[in-house]
Coordinates of all heavy atoms in Angstrom, one line a residue:
R1 N -1.0 -3.0 -33.2 CA -0.1 -2.7 -32.1 C 1.1 -2.0 -32.7 O 1.7 -2.6 -33.6 CB 0.2 -3.9 -31.4 CG 1.1 -3.7 -30.3 CD 1.3 -5.0 -29.5 NE 2.4 -4.8 -28.6 CZ 2.6 -5.5 -27.5 NH1 1.8 -6.5 -27.2 NH2 3.6 -5.3 -26.7
D2 N 1.5 -0.9 -32.2 CA 2.7 -0.2 -32.8 C 3.9 -0.4 -31.9 O 3.9 0.0 -30.7 CB 2.3 1.3 -32.8 CG 3.4 2.1 -33.5 OD1 4.6 1.7 -33.5 OD2 3.0 3.2 -34.1
E3 N 4.8 -1.2 -32.4 CA 6.0 -1.6 -31.6 C 6.8 -0.4 -31.2 O 7.4 -0.4 -30.1 CB 6.9 -2.5 -32.5 CG 6.2 -3.9 -32.8 CD 5.9 -4.6 -31.5 OE1 6.7 -4.6 -30.5 OE2 4.9 -5.3 -31.5
V4 N 7.0 0.6 -32.0 CA 7.7 1.8 -31.6 C 7.1 2.5 -30.5 O 7.7 3.0 -29.5 CB 7.9 2.8 -32.8 CG1 8.6 4.1 -32.4 CG2 8.7 2.1 -33.9
D5 N 5.7 2.7 -30.5 CA 5.0 3.3 -29.4 C 5.2 2.5 -28.1 O 5.4 3.1 -27.0 CB 3.5 3.4 -29.7 CG 3.2 4.6 -30.6 OD1 4.1 5.4 -30.8 OD2 2.1 4.6 -31.2
E6 N 5.2 1.2 -28.2 CA 5.4 0.4 -27.0 C 6.7 0.6 -26.4 O 6.9 0.7 -25.2 CB 5.2 -1.1 -27.4 CG 3.8 -1.5 -27.8 CD 2.8 -1.4 -26.7 OE1 3.1 -1.7 -25.5 OE2 1.6 -1.0 -26.9
Q7 N 7.8 0.7 -27.3 CA 9.1 0.9 -26.8 C 9.2 2.3 -26.1 O 9.9 2.4 -25.0 CB 10.1 0.8 -27.9 CG 10.3 -0.6 -28.5 CD 11.2 -0.6 -29.7 OE1 11.6 0.4 -30.2 NE2 11.4 -1.8 -30.2
I8 N 8.6 3.3 -26.7 CA 8.7 4.6 -26.1 C 7.9 4.6 -24.8 O 8.4 5.2 -23.8 CB 8.0 5.7 -27.1 CG1 9.0 5.8 -28.3 CG2 7.8 7.0 -26.4 CD1 8.4 6.6 -29.4
Y9 N 6.8 4.0 -24.7 CA 6.0 3.9 -23.5 C 6.8 3.2 -22.4 O 6.8 3.7 -21.3 CB 4.6 3.3 -23.7 CG 3.8 3.1 -22.5 CD1 3.1 4.2 -22.0 CD2 3.8 1.9 -21.8 CE1 2.4 4.1 -20.8 CE2 3.0 1.8 -20.6 CZ 2.3 2.9 -20.2 OH 1.6 2.8 -19.0
D10 N 7.4 2.1 -22.7 CA 8.1 1.3 -21.7 C 9.3 2.1 -21.2 O 9.6 2.1 -20.0 CB 8.6 0.0 -22.3 CG 7.5 -1.0 -22.6 OD1 6.4 -0.8 -22.0 OD2 7.7 -1.9 -23.4
A11 N 10.0 2.9 -22.1 CA 11.1 3.7 -21.6 C 10.6 4.8 -20.7 O 11.2 5.2 -19.7 CB 11.8 4.3 -22.9
A12 N 9.4 5.4 -21.1 CA 8.9 6.5 -20.2 C 8.5 6.0 -18.8 O 8.7 6.6 -17.8 CB 7.7 7.1 -20.9
V13 N 7.9 4.8 -18.8 CA 7.5 4.2 -17.5 C 8.7 3.9 -16.7 O 8.8 4.2 -15.5 CB 6.7 2.9 -17.7 CG1 6.6 2.1 -16.4 CG2 5.3 3.2 -18.3
E14 N 9.8 3.4 -17.3 CA 11.0 3.1 -16.6 C 11.6 4.4 -16.0 O 12.1 4.5 -14.9 CB 12.0 2.4 -17.5 CG 13.3 2.0 -16.8 CD 14.3 1.3 -17.8 OE1 13.8 0.6 -18.7 OE2 15.5 1.5 -17.6
R15 N 11.7 5.5 -16.9 CA 12.2 6.8 -16.4 C 11.4 7.3 -15.3 O 11.9 7.9 -14.3 CB 12.3 7.7 -17.6 CG 12.9 9.1 -17.2 CD 14.3 9.0 -16.8 NE 14.8 10.3 -16.5 CZ 15.7 10.6 -15.6 NH1 16.2 9.7 -14.9 NH2 16.0 11.8 -15.4
F16 N 10.1 7.2 -15.4 CA 9.2 7.7 -14.3 C 9.5 7.0 -13.0 O 9.6 7.7 -12.0 CB 7.7 7.5 -14.7 CG 6.8 7.9 -13.7 CD1 6.5 9.3 -13.4 CD2 6.1 7.0 -12.9 CE1 5.6 9.7 -12.5 CE2 5.2 7.4 -11.9 CZ 5.0 8.7 -11.7
E17 N 9.6 5.7 -13.1 CA 9.9 5.0 -11.8 C 11.3 5.4 -11.2 O 11.4 5.5 -10.0 CB 9.9 3.4 -12.1 CG 8.6 2.9 -12.4 CD 7.6 2.9 -11.3 OE1 8.1 3.0 -10.1 OE2 6.4 2.9 -11.5
E18 N 12.3 5.6 -12.1 CA 13.6 6.1 -11.6 C 13.4 7.5 -10.9 O 13.9 7.7 -9.8 CB 14.5 6.3 -12.8 CG 15.0 5.0 -13.4 CD 15.8 5.2 -14.7 OE1 16.2 6.4 -15.0 OE2 16.1 4.2 -15.4
L19 N 12.7 8.4 -11.6 CA 12.5 9.7 -10.9 C 11.7 9.6 -9.7 O 12.0 10.3 -8.7 CB 11.9 10.7 -12.0 CG 12.7 11.0 -13.2 CD1 11.9 11.8 -14.2 CD2 13.9 11.8 -12.7
L20 N 10.7 8.8 -9.7 CA 9.9 8.6 -8.5 C 10.7 8.1 -7.3 O 10.6 8.6 -6.2 CB 8.7 7.7 -8.8 CG 7.5 7.7 -7.9 CD1 6.9 9.1 -7.8 CD2 6.4 6.8 -8.4
S21 N 11.5 7.1 -7.6 CA 12.4 6.5 -6.6 C 13.4 7.6 -6.1 O 13.7 7.7 -4.9 CB 13.1 5.3 -7.1 OG 12.2 4.3 -7.4
L22 N 13.9 8.4 -7.0 CA 14.9 9.4 -6.6 C 14.3 10.5 -5.8 O 14.9 10.9 -4.8 CB 15.5 10.0 -7.9 CG 16.5 11.1 -7.7 CD1 17.8 10.5 -7.1 CD2 16.9 11.7 -9.1
H23 N 13.1 10.9 -6.2 CA 12.6 12.1 -5.5 C 11.5 11.8 -4.4 O 11.3 12.7 -3.6 CB 11.9 13.1 -6.6 CG 12.9 13.6 -7.5 ND1 13.9 14.5 -7.2 CD2 13.2 13.3 -8.8 CE1 14.7 14.8 -8.2 NE2 14.2 14.1 -9.2
A24 N 11.0 10.6 -4.4 CA 9.9 10.3 -3.5 C 10.2 9.2 -2.5 O 9.6 9.1 -1.4 CB 8.6 10.0 -4.2
A25 N 11.2 8.4 -2.8 CA 11.5 7.2 -1.9 C 12.0 7.7 -0.6 O 12.8 8.6 -0.5 CB 12.5 6.3 -2.6
G26 N 11.4 7.2 0.5 CA 11.8 7.6 1.8 C 11.2 8.9 2.2 O 11.4 9.3 3.4
G27 N 10.6 9.7 1.3 CA 10.1 11.0 1.7 C 8.7 10.8 2.3 O 8.3 9.7 2.6
A28 N 8.1 11.9 2.6 CA 6.8 11.8 3.3 C 5.8 11.0 2.6 O 5.1 10.2 3.2 CB 6.3 13.3 3.6
C29 N 5.7 11.2 1.3 CA 4.7 10.4 0.5 C 5.0 8.9 0.5 O 4.1 8.1 0.8 CB 4.6 11.0 -0.9 SG 3.3 10.2 -1.8
G30 N 6.2 8.6 0.2 CA 6.6 7.2 0.1 C 6.4 6.5 1.5 O 5.9 5.4 1.6
T31 N 6.8 7.1 2.5 CA 6.7 6.6 3.9 C 5.2 6.4 4.3 O 4.8 5.4 4.8 CB 7.4 7.4 4.9 OG1 8.8 7.6 4.5 CG2 7.3 6.9 6.3
L32 N 4.4 7.4 4.0 CA 3.0 7.4 4.3 C 2.3 6.2 3.5 O 1.6 5.4 4.1 CB 2.3 8.7 3.9 CG 0.8 8.6 4.0 CD1 0.3 8.6 5.4 CD2 0.2 9.8 3.2
L33 N 2.6 6.1 2.2 CA 2.0 5.1 1.4 C 2.4 3.7 1.9 O 1.6 2.8 1.9 CB 2.3 5.3 0.0 CG 1.7 6.6 -0.6 CD1 2.2 6.8 -2.0 CD2 0.2 6.5 -0.6
E34 N 3.6 3.5 2.2 CA 4.1 2.2 2.7 C 3.3 1.9 4.0 O 2.9 0.8 4.2 CB 5.6 2.2 3.0 CG 6.4 2.2 1.7 CD 7.9 2.4 2.0 OE1 8.3 2.4 3.2 OE2 8.6 2.6 1.1
R35 N 3.2 2.8 4.9 CA 2.6 2.6 6.2 C 1.1 2.3 6.0 O 0.6 1.4 6.7 CB 2.8 3.9 7.1 CG 2.2 3.7 8.5 CD 2.5 4.9 9.4 NE 1.8 6.0 8.9 CZ 2.4 7.2 8.6 NH1 3.7 7.4 8.8 NH2 1.7 8.3 8.2
E36 N 0.5 3.0 5.1 CA -1.0 2.8 4.9 C -1.3 1.7 3.9 O -2.5 1.4 3.7 CB -1.6 4.1 4.4 CG -1.5 5.2 5.4 CD -2.2 5.0 6.7 OE1 -3.3 4.3 6.7 OE2 -1.7 5.4 7.7
G37 N -0.3 1.0 3.3 CA -0.5 0.0 2.4 C -1.1 0.4 1.1 O -1.9 -0.3 0.4
L38 N -0.8 1.6 0.6 CA -1.4 2.2 -0.6 C -0.5 2.1 -1.8 O -0.8 2.7 -2.8 CB -1.8 3.7 -0.3 CG -2.8 3.9 0.7 CD1 -3.0 5.4 1.0 CD2 -4.2 3.3 0.3
L39 N 0.6 1.4 -1.7 CA 1.5 1.3 -2.9 C 0.8 0.5 -4.0 O 0.2 -0.6 -3.7 CB 2.8 0.6 -2.5 CG 3.7 1.4 -1.6 CD1 4.9 0.6 -1.2 CD2 4.1 2.7 -2.3
Q40 N 0.9 1.0 -5.2 CA 0.3 0.2 -6.3 C 1.2 -0.9 -6.7 O 2.4 -0.8 -6.6 CB 0.1 1.2 -7.5 CG -0.9 2.3 -7.3 CD -1.0 3.2 -8.4 OE1 -0.3 3.1 -9.4 NE2 -1.9 4.2 -8.3
K41 N 0.6 -2.0 -7.1 CA 1.3 -3.2 -7.5 C 2.3 -3.0 -8.6 O 3.4 -3.5 -8.6 CB 0.4 -4.3 -7.8 CG -0.4 -4.8 -6.6 CD -1.4 -5.9 -7.0 CE -2.2 -6.4 -5.9 NZ -3.2 -7.3 -6.2
D42 N 2.0 -2.1 -9.6 CA 2.8 -1.9 -10.7 C 3.8 -0.8 -10.6 O 4.5 -0.4 -11.5 CB 2.0 -1.7 -12.0 CG 1.1 -0.5 -11.9 OD1 0.8 0.0 -10.8 OD2 0.6 0.0 -12.9
S43 N 3.9 -0.2 -9.4 CA 4.8 0.9 -9.1 C 5.5 0.7 -7.8 O 5.0 0.2 -6.9 CB 3.9 2.2 -9.0 OG 4.8 3.3 -8.8
Q44 N 6.8 1.2 -7.8 CA 7.5 1.0 -6.6 C 7.0 2.0 -5.5 O 6.9 1.7 -4.4 CB 9.0 1.3 -6.9 CG 9.7 0.3 -7.7 CD 11.1 0.7 -8.1 OE1 11.6 1.7 -7.6 NE2 11.7 -0.1 -8.9
I45 N 6.6 3.2 -5.9 CA 6.1 4.2 -5.0 C 5.0 4.9 -5.8 O 5.1 5.2 -6.9 CB 7.2 5.2 -4.7 CG1 8.3 4.6 -4.0 CG2 6.6 6.3 -3.8 CD1 9.5 5.4 -3.8
S46 N 3.9 5.2 -5.1 CA 2.7 5.9 -5.7 C 2.4 7.1 -5.0 O 1.8 7.1 -3.9 CB 1.5 4.9 -5.7 OG 0.5 5.6 -6.4
C47 N 2.9 8.2 -5.5 CA 2.6 9.5 -4.9 C 1.7 10.3 -5.8 O 2.0 11.1 -6.7 CB 3.9 10.3 -4.7 SG 5.0 9.7 -3.5
S48 N 0.4 9.9 -5.7 CA -0.6 10.5 -6.6 C -1.8 10.9 -5.8 O -2.0 10.4 -4.7 CB -1.0 9.6 -7.7 OG -1.7 8.5 -7.1
C49 N -2.6 11.8 -6.3 CA -3.8 12.2 -5.7 C -4.8 11.1 -5.6 O -5.4 10.9 -4.5 CB -4.4 13.4 -6.4 SG -3.3 14.9 -6.4
S50 N -4.9 10.3 -6.6 CA -5.8 9.2 -6.6 C -5.4 8.1 -5.5 O -6.3 7.5 -4.9 CB -6.0 8.5 -7.9 OG -4.7 8.0 -8.4
A51 N -4.1 7.9 -5.3 CA -3.7 7.0 -4.3 C -4.0 7.4 -2.9 O -4.3 6.7 -2.0 CB -2.2 6.7 -4.4
Q52 N -4.1 8.8 -2.7 CA -4.4 9.3 -1.4 C -5.9 9.7 -1.4 O -6.4 10.3 -0.4 CB -3.6 10.6 -1.2 CG -2.1 10.2 -1.0 CD -1.3 11.4 -0.5 OE1 -1.8 12.4 0.0 NE2 0.0 11.3 -0.6
E53 N -6.6 9.3 -2.4 CA -8.1 9.6 -2.5 C -8.4 11.0 -2.3 O -9.3 11.4 -1.6 CB -8.8 8.7 -1.5 CG -8.7 7.2 -1.9 CD -9.4 6.3 -0.9 OE1 -10.0 6.8 0.1 OE2 -9.4 5.1 -1.2
R54 N -7.7 11.9 -3.0 CA -7.9 13.3 -2.9 C -8.2 13.9 -4.3 O -7.7 13.4 -5.3 CB -6.6 14.0 -2.4 CG -6.2 13.6 -1.0 CD -5.1 14.5 -0.5 NE -5.5 15.8 -0.2 CZ -6.1 16.3 0.9 NH1 -6.3 15.4 1.8 NH2 -6.4 17.5 1.0
E55 N -9.1 14.9 -4.3 CA -9.5 15.5 -5.5 C -8.9 16.9 -5.7 O -8.8 17.4 -6.7 CB -11.1 15.7 -5.6 CG -11.8 14.3 -5.5 CD -13.3 14.5 -5.3 OE1 -13.8 15.6 -5.0 OE2 -14.0 13.4 -5.4
C56 N -8.5 17.5 -4.5 CA -7.9 18.8 -4.5 C -7.1 19.0 -3.3 O -7.1 18.2 -2.4 CB -9.0 19.9 -4.6 SG -10.1 19.8 -3.1
G57 N -6.4 20.1 -3.2 CA -5.6 20.5 -2.0 C -4.3 19.7 -1.8 O -3.9 18.9 -2.7
L58 N -3.7 19.9 -0.7 CA -2.4 19.3 -0.4 C -2.7 17.9 0.2 O -3.5 17.8 1.1 CB -1.6 20.1 0.5 CG -1.0 21.4 0.0 CD1 -0.3 22.2 1.1 CD2 -0.1 21.2 -1.2
G59 N -1.9 16.9 -0.2 CA -2.0 15.6 0.4 C -1.4 15.6 1.8 O -1.0 16.6 2.3
V60 N -1.5 14.4 2.4 CA -0.9 14.3 3.8 C 0.5 14.7 3.8 O 1.3 14.4 2.9 CB -1.1 12.8 4.2 CG1 -0.6 12.6 5.6 CG2 -2.6 12.4 4.1
D61 N 0.9 15.4 4.8 CA 2.3 15.9 5.0 C 2.7 16.8 3.8 O 3.9 17.0 3.6 CB 3.3 14.8 5.2 CG 3.0 14.0 6.4 OD1 2.4 14.6 7.4 OD2 3.4 12.8 6.5
A62 N 1.8 17.4 3.1 CA 2.0 18.2 1.9 C 3.0 17.6 0.9 O 3.7 18.3 0.2 CB 2.6 19.6 2.4
A63 N 3.0 16.3 0.8 CA 3.9 15.6 -0.1 C 3.3 15.6 -1.5 O 4.1 15.5 -2.5 CB 4.0 14.1 0.3
V64 N 2.0 15.8 -1.7 CA 1.4 15.8 -3.0 C 0.5 17.0 -3.1 O -0.3 17.2 -2.1 CB 0.6 14.5 -3.3 CG1 -0.1 14.6 -4.6 CG2 1.5 13.3 -3.3
D65 N 0.6 17.8 -4.2 CA -0.3 18.9 -4.3 C -1.4 18.6 -5.4 O -1.0 18.4 -6.6 CB 0.4 20.2 -4.7 CG -0.4 21.4 -4.8 OD1 -1.7 21.3 -4.7 OD2 0.1 22.5 -5.0
C66 N -2.6 18.4 -5.0 CA -3.6 18.0 -5.9 C -4.3 19.2 -6.6 O -5.3 19.0 -7.4 CB -4.6 17.1 -5.2 SG -3.9 15.6 -4.5
G67 N -3.9 20.4 -6.3 CA -4.4 21.6 -7.0 C -5.8 22.0 -6.6 O -6.3 21.7 -5.5
H68 N -6.4 22.7 -7.5 CA -7.7 23.3 -7.3 C -8.7 22.4 -8.0 O -8.4 21.6 -8.9 CB -7.8 24.7 -7.9 CG -6.8 25.6 -7.4 ND1 -6.9 26.2 -6.1 CD2 -5.6 26.1 -7.8 CE1 -5.9 27.0 -5.9 NE2 -5.1 26.9 -6.9
C69 N -10.0 22.5 -7.6 CA -11.1 21.8 -8.2 C -11.2 22.4 -9.6 O -11.4 23.6 -9.8 CB -12.4 22.0 -7.4 SG -12.2 21.3 -5.8
P70 N -11.2 21.5 -10.7 CA -11.3 22.0 -12.0 C -12.7 22.4 -12.4 O -13.6 21.6 -12.6 CB -10.8 20.9 -12.9 CG -11.0 19.7 -12.0 CD -10.9 20.1 -10.6
S71 N -13.0 23.7 -12.5 CA -14.3 24.2 -12.8 C -14.8 23.8 -14.1 O -16.0 23.6 -14.3 CB -14.4 25.7 -12.6 OG -13.5 26.3 -13.6
R72 N -14.0 23.5 -15.1 CA -14.4 23.0 -16.4 C -15.2 21.7 -16.3 O -16.0 21.4 -17.2 CB -13.2 22.9 -17.4 CG -12.8 24.3 -17.8 CD -11.8 24.2 -18.9 NE -10.5 24.3 -18.4 CZ -9.4 24.2 -19.0 NH1 -9.4 23.8 -20.3 NH2 -8.2 24.3 -18.4
R73 N -14.9 20.9 -15.3 CA -15.6 19.6 -15.2 C -17.1 19.8 -14.9 O -17.9 18.9 -15.2 CB -15.0 18.7 -14.1 CG -13.7 18.2 -14.5 CD -13.2 17.1 -13.6 NE -11.9 16.7 -14.0 CZ -11.2 15.8 -13.4 NH1 -11.8 15.1 -12.4 NH2 -10.0 15.4 -13.8
L74 N -17.5 21.0 -14.4 CA -18.9 21.2 -14.2 C -19.7 21.3 -15.5 O -20.9 21.0 -15.5 CB -19.1 22.6 -13.4 CG -18.5 22.6 -12.0 CD1 -18.7 24.0 -11.4 CD2 -19.2 21.6 -11.1
K75 N -19.0 21.5 -16.6 CA -19.7 21.5 -17.9 C -20.2 20.1 -18.2 O -21.2 20.0 -19.0 CB -18.8 22.0 -19.0 CG -18.4 23.4 -18.8 CD -17.4 23.8 -19.9 CE -16.9 25.3 -19.7 NZ -15.9 25.6 -20.7
F76 N -19.6 19.1 -17.7 CA -20.1 17.7 -17.9 C -21.3 17.3 -17.2 O -21.9 16.3 -17.4 CB -18.9 16.7 -17.6 CG -17.7 16.9 -18.5 CD1 -16.6 17.4 -18.0 CD2 -17.8 16.5 -19.8 CE1 -15.5 17.6 -18.8 CE2 -16.7 16.6 -20.6 CZ -15.5 17.2 -20.1
A77 N -21.6 18.1 -16.2 CA -22.9 17.9 -15.4 C -23.9 18.9 -15.7 O -23.7 20.1 -15.6 CB -22.5 17.9 -13.9
E78 N -25.0 18.5 -16.2 CA -26.0 19.3 -16.8 C -26.5 20.5 -15.9 O -26.5 21.6 -16.3 CB -27.3 18.5 -17.2 CG -27.0 17.5 -18.3 CD -28.2 16.6 -18.5 OE1 -29.3 17.0 -18.1 OE2 -28.0 15.6 -19.2
D79 N -26.8 20.2 -14.6 CA -27.3 21.2 -13.7 C -26.3 21.8 -12.8 O -26.7 22.5 -11.9 CB -28.5 20.5 -12.9 CG -28.0 19.4 -12.1 OD1 -26.9 18.8 -12.4 OD2 -28.6 19.0 -11.1
L80 N -25.0 21.7 -13.0 CA -24.0 22.2 -12.1 C -23.2 23.4 -12.7 O -22.3 23.9 -12.0 CB -23.1 21.1 -11.7 CG -23.7 19.9 -11.0 CD1 -22.6 18.9 -10.7 CD2 -24.3 20.4 -9.7
S81 N -23.4 23.8 -13.9 CA -22.5 24.7 -14.6 C -22.4 26.1 -13.9 O -21.4 26.7 -14.0 CB -23.0 24.9 -16.0 OG -24.3 25.5 -16.1
S82 N -23.4 26.5 -13.1 CA -23.3 27.8 -12.5 C -23.2 27.6 -10.9 O -23.5 28.5 -10.2 CB -24.5 28.6 -12.8 OG -25.7 28.0 -12.3
S83 N -22.7 26.5 -10.5 CA -22.7 26.2 -9.1 C -21.4 26.8 -8.4 O -20.4 27.1 -9.1 CB -22.6 24.7 -8.8 OG -23.8 24.1 -9.3
N84 N -21.4 26.9 -7.1 CA -20.3 27.4 -6.3 C -19.4 26.2 -6.1 O -19.8 25.2 -5.5 CB -20.8 28.0 -5.0 CG -19.7 28.5 -4.2 OD1 -18.7 28.9 -4.7 ND2 -19.9 28.5 -2.9
L85 N -18.1 26.3 -6.5 CA -17.1 25.3 -6.4 C -16.0 25.6 -5.4 O -15.4 26.7 -5.5 CB -16.5 25.0 -7.8 CG -15.5 23.9 -7.9 CD1 -16.1 22.6 -7.5 CD2 -15.0 23.9 -9.3
T86 N -15.8 24.8 -4.4 CA -14.7 25.0 -3.4 C -14.0 23.7 -3.1 O -14.5 22.6 -3.5 CB -15.3 25.5 -2.1 OG1 -16.3 24.6 -1.6 CG2 -15.9 26.9 -2.3
C87 N -12.9 23.8 -2.5 CA -12.1 22.6 -2.0 C -12.2 22.5 -0.5 O -11.8 23.5 0.2 CB -10.7 22.7 -2.5 SG -9.7 21.3 -2.0
D88 N -12.5 21.4 0.0 CA -12.4 21.1 1.4 C -11.0 20.6 1.6 O -10.7 19.4 1.4 CB -13.4 20.1 1.9 CG -13.3 19.7 3.4 OD1 -12.3 20.2 4.0 OD2 -14.2 19.0 3.9
H89 N -10.1 21.5 2.0 CA -8.7 21.1 2.1 C -8.4 20.0 3.1 O -7.4 19.3 2.9 CB -7.8 22.4 2.4 CG -7.9 23.3 1.3 ND1 -7.1 23.2 0.1 CD2 -8.6 24.5 1.0 CE1 -7.3 24.2 -0.7 NE2 -8.3 25.0 -0.2
G90 N -9.2 19.9 4.1 CA -8.9 18.9 5.1 C -9.1 17.5 4.6 O -8.3 16.6 4.8
S91 N -10.2 17.3 3.8 CA -10.5 16.0 3.3 C -10.0 15.8 1.8 O -10.0 14.7 1.3 CB -12.0 15.7 3.3 OG -12.7 16.6 2.5
G92 N -9.7 16.9 1.2 CA -9.3 16.9 -0.2 C -10.4 16.6 -1.2 O -10.2 16.0 -2.2
V93 N -11.6 17.0 -0.8 CA -12.8 16.7 -1.7 C -13.3 18.0 -2.3 O -13.4 19.1 -1.6 CB -13.9 16.1 -0.8 CG1 -15.2 15.9 -1.6 CG2 -13.4 14.7 -0.3
C94 N -13.6 18.0 -3.6 CA -14.2 19.2 -4.2 C -15.7 19.2 -3.8 O -16.4 18.2 -3.9 CB -14.1 19.0 -5.7 SG -12.4 19.2 -6.3
L95 N -16.1 20.4 -3.5 CA -17.5 20.6 -3.0 C -18.2 21.5 -4.0 O -17.7 22.5 -4.4 CB -17.5 21.3 -1.7 CG -16.8 20.5 -0.5 CD1 -16.8 21.3 0.7 CD2 -17.4 19.1 -0.3
V96 N -19.4 21.0 -4.4 CA -20.3 21.8 -5.3 C -21.5 22.2 -4.5 O -22.2 21.4 -4.0 CB -20.7 21.0 -6.5 CG1 -21.7 21.8 -7.4 CG2 -19.6 20.4 -7.3
D97 N -21.6 23.5 -4.3 CA -22.6 24.1 -3.4 C -22.6 23.4 -2.1 O -23.6 22.9 -1.5 CB -24.0 23.9 -4.0 CG -24.2 24.8 -5.3 OD1 -23.5 25.9 -5.4 OD2 -24.9 24.4 -6.2
S98 N -21.4 23.3 -1.5 CA -21.1 22.7 -0.2 C -21.3 21.2 0.0 O -21.3 20.7 1.1 CB -21.9 23.5 0.9 OG -21.6 24.8 0.9
S99 N -21.5 20.5 -1.1 CA -21.7 19.1 -1.1 C -20.7 18.4 -2.0 O -20.4 18.9 -3.1 CB -23.1 18.7 -1.5 OG -24.1 19.2 -0.7
P100 N -20.2 17.2 -1.6 CA -19.3 16.5 -2.5 C -20.0 16.0 -3.8 O -21.2 15.6 -3.7 CB -18.7 15.4 -1.7 CG -19.6 15.2 -0.5 CD -20.4 16.5 -0.4
N101 N -19.3 15.9 -4.9 CA -19.9 15.3 -6.1 C -18.8 14.5 -6.8 O -18.1 14.9 -7.7 CB -20.3 16.4 -7.0 CG -21.1 15.8 -8.2 OD1 -20.8 14.8 -8.7 ND2 -22.2 16.6 -8.6
H102 N -18.6 13.3 -6.2 CA -17.5 12.4 -6.7 C -17.6 12.0 -8.1 O -16.6 11.7 -8.8 CB -17.3 11.2 -5.8 CG -17.1 11.6 -4.4 ND1 -16.0 12.2 -3.9 CD2 -17.9 11.4 -3.2 CE1 -16.0 12.4 -2.6 NE2 -17.2 12.0 -2.2
D103 N -18.8 12.0 -8.7 CA -19.0 11.6 -10.1 C -18.3 12.6 -11.0 O -17.9 12.2 -12.1 CB -20.5 11.5 -10.4 CG -21.2 10.4 -9.7 OD1 -20.6 9.4 -9.3 OD2 -22.5 10.5 -9.5
V104 N -18.2 13.8 -10.6 CA -17.6 14.8 -11.5 C -16.1 14.9 -11.2 O -15.3 15.2 -12.2 CB -18.3 16.2 -11.2 CG1 -17.6 17.3 -12.0 CG2 -19.8 16.1 -11.6
F105 N -15.6 14.7 -10.0 CA -14.2 15.1 -9.7 C -13.3 13.9 -9.4 O -12.1 14.1 -9.2 CB -14.2 16.1 -8.5 CG -14.8 17.4 -8.9 CD1 -16.1 17.7 -8.4 CD2 -14.2 18.3 -9.7 CE1 -16.7 18.9 -8.8 CE2 -14.8 19.5 -10.1 CZ -16.0 19.8 -9.6
S106 N -13.8 12.7 -9.3 CA -13.0 11.6 -8.8 C -12.3 10.9 -10.0 O -11.6 9.9 -9.8 CB -13.7 10.6 -8.0 OG -14.8 10.0 -8.8
W107 N -12.5 11.3 -11.2 CA -11.8 10.7 -12.3 C -10.7 11.4 -12.8 O -10.1 12.2 -13.0 CB -12.8 10.4 -13.5 CG -13.6 11.6 -13.9 CD1 -14.7 12.1 -13.3 CD2 -13.4 12.5 -15.0 NE1 -15.2 13.2 -13.9 CE2 -14.4 13.4 -15.0 CE3 -12.5 12.5 -16.0 CZ2 -14.5 14.4 -15.9 CZ3 -12.6 13.5 -16.9 CH2 -13.6 14.5 -16.9

């Protein structure tokens, strides 16, 4: 166990929480997560794509941008490398040949 790394990590977590509280508290994401009960136990506010169960697109109220479906992840799936990849912006799910593939995009 590296004590210096632990101190750096703890400081980074503390700074992240400060910035999250400053920029997200009371905003659309913070309010939504409080209402839906999606706040993580170890975080004051959780404005993340995984907390909103999104793989791509804009989160609810456009508070979080989960971006585009990463086409490089298709390389990890043997039979999907040449597939058509799109984002269903309504549900925030990456679609491979018009079907969701959570094994590839939910991590």
Side-chain angles (χ1 to χ4, degrees):
R1 180 175 169 160
D2 189 331
E3 294 298 323
V4 174
D5 282 346
E6 294 293 325
Q7 292 173 356
I8 292 170
Y9 179 78
D10 290 342
V13 168
E14 183 177 329
R15 180 65 178 146
F16 177 76
E17 292 294 337
E18 289 173 10
L19 292 172
L20 199 56
S21 295
L22 177 67
H23 297 290
C29 184
T31 303
L32 169 73
L33 294 174
E34 287 173 8
R35 185 176 65 234
E36 298 297 324
L38 297 174
L39 291 176
Q40 295 178 357
K41 292 178 182 176
D42 61 343
S43 178
Q44 293 176 2
I45 299 168
S46 181
C47 290
S48 68
C49 297
S50 62
Q52 294 188 17
E53 297 180 353
R54 298 186 69 84
E55 299 169 352
C56 61
L58 293 177
V60 179
D61 297 333
V64 176
D65 185 352
C66 300
H68 302 284
C69 299
S71 59
R72 285 190 259 173
R73 290 193 183 180
L74 292 176
K75 293 178 184 177
F76 295 106
E78 296 174 18
D79 58 338
L80 299 178
S81 61
S82 63
S83 300
N84 182 27
L85 180 62
T86 58
C87 175
D88 179 352
H89 293 279
S91 65
V93 173
C94 291
L95 302 175
V96 180
D97 294 331
S98 301
S99 297
N101 190 323
H102 301 295
D103 292 336
V104 176
F105 296 103
S106 64
W107 49 281

